[in-house]
PDB file of all heavy atoms in Angstrom:
ATOM      1  N   ASP A  10      70.665  -0.907  31.913  1.00  0.00           N
ATOM      2  CA  ASP A  10      70.076  -0.901  33.257  1.00  0.00           C
ATOM      3  C   ASP A  10      68.577  -1.154  33.239  1.00  0.00           C
ATOM      4  O   ASP A  10      67.931  -1.170  34.280  1.00  0.00           O
ATOM      5  CB  ASP A  10      70.377   0.421  33.965  1.00  0.00           C
ATOM      6  CG  ASP A  10      71.835   0.485  34.391  1.00  0.00           C
ATOM      7  OD1 ASP A  10      72.432  -0.591  34.585  1.00  0.00           O
ATOM      8  OD2 ASP A  10      72.377   1.599  34.500  1.00  0.00           O
ATOM      9  N   CYS A  13      66.453  -7.114  31.053  1.00  0.00           N
ATOM     10  CA  CYS A  13      66.472  -8.279  31.945  1.00  0.00           C
ATOM     11  C   CYS A  13      66.675  -9.560  31.146  1.00  0.00           C
ATOM     12  O   CYS A  13      66.476 -10.660  31.680  1.00  0.00           O
ATOM     13  CB  CYS A  13      65.188  -8.342  32.752  1.00  0.00           C
ATOM     14  SG  CYS A  13      63.716  -8.610  31.743  1.00  0.00           S
ATOM     15  N   GLU A  44      76.932 -14.086  33.743  1.00  0.00           N
ATOM     16  CA  GLU A  44      77.499 -13.816  35.066  1.00  0.00           C
ATOM     17  C   GLU A  44      78.996 -13.573  34.890  1.00  0.00           C
ATOM     18  O   GLU A  44      79.705 -14.434  34.386  1.00  0.00           O
ATOM     19  CB  GLU A  44      77.255 -14.999  36.000  1.00  0.00           C
ATOM     20  CG  GLU A  44      75.773 -15.313  36.157  1.00  0.00           C
ATOM     21  CD  GLU A  44      75.499 -16.534  37.037  1.00  0.00           C
ATOM     22  OE1 GLU A  44      76.379 -16.921  37.833  1.00  0.00           O
ATOM     23  OE2 GLU A  44      74.399 -17.088  36.916  1.00  0.00           O
ATOM     24  N   ARG A 127      58.812  -0.846   8.455  1.00  0.00           N
ATOM     25  CA  ARG A 127      57.923  -0.427   9.546  1.00  0.00           C
ATOM     26  C   ARG A 127      58.231   1.017   9.937  1.00  0.00           C
ATOM     27  O   ARG A 127      57.316   1.834  10.100  1.00  0.00           O
ATOM     28  CB  ARG A 127      58.092  -1.347  10.765  1.00  0.00           C
ATOM     29  CG  ARG A 127      57.409  -2.697  10.628  1.00  0.00           C
ATOM     30  CD  ARG A 127      57.772  -3.627  11.790  1.00  0.00           C
ATOM     31  NE  ARG A 127      57.389  -3.083  13.091  1.00  0.00           N
ATOM     32  CZ  ARG A 127      56.232  -3.339  13.714  1.00  0.00           C
ATOM     33  NH1 ARG A 127      55.346  -4.140  13.153  1.00  0.00           N
ATOM     34  NH2 ARG A 127      55.966  -2.806  14.891  1.00  0.00           N
ATOM     35  N   ARG A 138      58.891  -2.684  19.962  1.00  0.00           N
ATOM     36  CA  ARG A 138      57.497  -2.821  20.396  1.00  0.00           C
ATOM     37  C   ARG A 138      57.338  -3.954  21.407  1.00  0.00           C
ATOM     38  O   ARG A 138      56.441  -3.941  22.238  1.00  0.00           O
ATOM     39  CB  ARG A 138      56.593  -3.086  19.187  1.00  0.00           C
ATOM     40  CG  ARG A 138      56.232  -1.874  18.400  1.00  0.00           C
ATOM     41  CD  ARG A 138      55.306  -0.924  19.183  1.00  0.00           C
ATOM     42  NE  ARG A 138      53.905  -1.261  19.005  1.00  0.00           N
ATOM     43  CZ  ARG A 138      53.135  -1.811  19.935  1.00  0.00           C
ATOM     44  NH1 ARG A 138      53.626  -2.095  21.126  1.00  0.00           N
ATOM     45  NH2 ARG A 138      51.872  -2.070  19.703  1.00  0.00           N
TER      46      ARG A 138
ATOM     47  N   GLU B  50      51.259  -8.035  18.478  1.00  0.00           N
ATOM     48  CA  GLU B  50      51.878  -6.928  19.222  1.00  0.00           C
ATOM     49  C   GLU B  50      50.966  -6.544  20.377  1.00  0.00           C
ATOM     50  O   GLU B  50      49.764  -6.834  20.347  1.00  0.00           O
ATOM     51  CB  GLU B  50      52.050  -5.698  18.326  1.00  0.00           C
ATOM     52  CG  GLU B  50      53.338  -5.694  17.545  1.00  0.00           C
ATOM     53  CD  GLU B  50      53.437  -4.547  16.544  1.00  0.00           C
ATOM     54  OE1 GLU B  50      52.567  -3.659  16.558  1.00  0.00           O
ATOM     55  OE2 GLU B  50      54.385  -4.557  15.759  1.00  0.00           O
ATOM     56  N   GLY B  51      51.524  -5.859  21.363  1.00  0.00           N
ATOM     57  CA  GLY B  51      50.689  -5.314  22.427  1.00  0.00           C
ATOM     58  C   GLY B  51      49.792  -4.226  21.855  1.00  0.00           C
ATOM     59  O   GLY B  51      50.211  -3.479  20.980  1.00  0.00           O
ATOM     60  N   TYR B 190      60.092 -10.966  35.236  1.00  0.00           N
ATOM     61  CA  TYR B 190      59.729 -12.208  34.556  1.00  0.00           C
ATOM     62  C   TYR B 190      58.294 -12.655  34.830  1.00  0.00           C
ATOM     63  O   TYR B 190      57.790 -13.550  34.160  1.00  0.00           O
ATOM     64  CB  TYR B 190      60.687 -13.338  34.957  1.00  0.00           C
ATOM     65  CG  TYR B 190      62.119 -13.142  34.497  1.00  0.00           C
ATOM     66  CD1 TYR B 190      63.144 -13.945  34.976  1.00  0.00           C
ATOM     67  CD2 TYR B 190      62.459 -12.144  33.575  1.00  0.00           C
ATOM     68  CE1 TYR B 190      64.460 -13.777  34.557  1.00  0.00           C
ATOM     69  CE2 TYR B 190      63.768 -11.962  33.165  1.00  0.00           C
ATOM     70  CZ  TYR B 190      64.769 -12.777  33.660  1.00  0.00           C
ATOM     71  OH  TYR B 190      66.058 -12.604  33.250  1.00  0.00           O
ATOM     72  N   THR B 667      75.606 -21.534  38.692  1.00  0.00           N
ATOM     73  CA  THR B 667      75.315 -20.103  38.834  1.00  0.00           C
ATOM     74  C   THR B 667      75.841 -19.527  40.147  1.00  0.00           C
ATOM     75  O   THR B 667      76.082 -20.263  41.105  1.00  0.00           O
ATOM     76  CB  THR B 667      73.788 -19.865  38.754  1.00  0.00           C
ATOM     77  OG1 THR B 667      73.527 -18.465  38.789  1.00  0.00           O
ATOM     78  CG2 THR B 667      73.059 -20.528  39.911  1.00  0.00           C
TER      79      THR B 667
END
Side-chain angles (χ1 to χ4, degrees):
Chain A
D10 287 334
C13 65
E44 301 177 20
R127 283 172 60 93
R138 280 292 272 108
Chain B
E50 273 174 8
Y190 294 168
T667 184

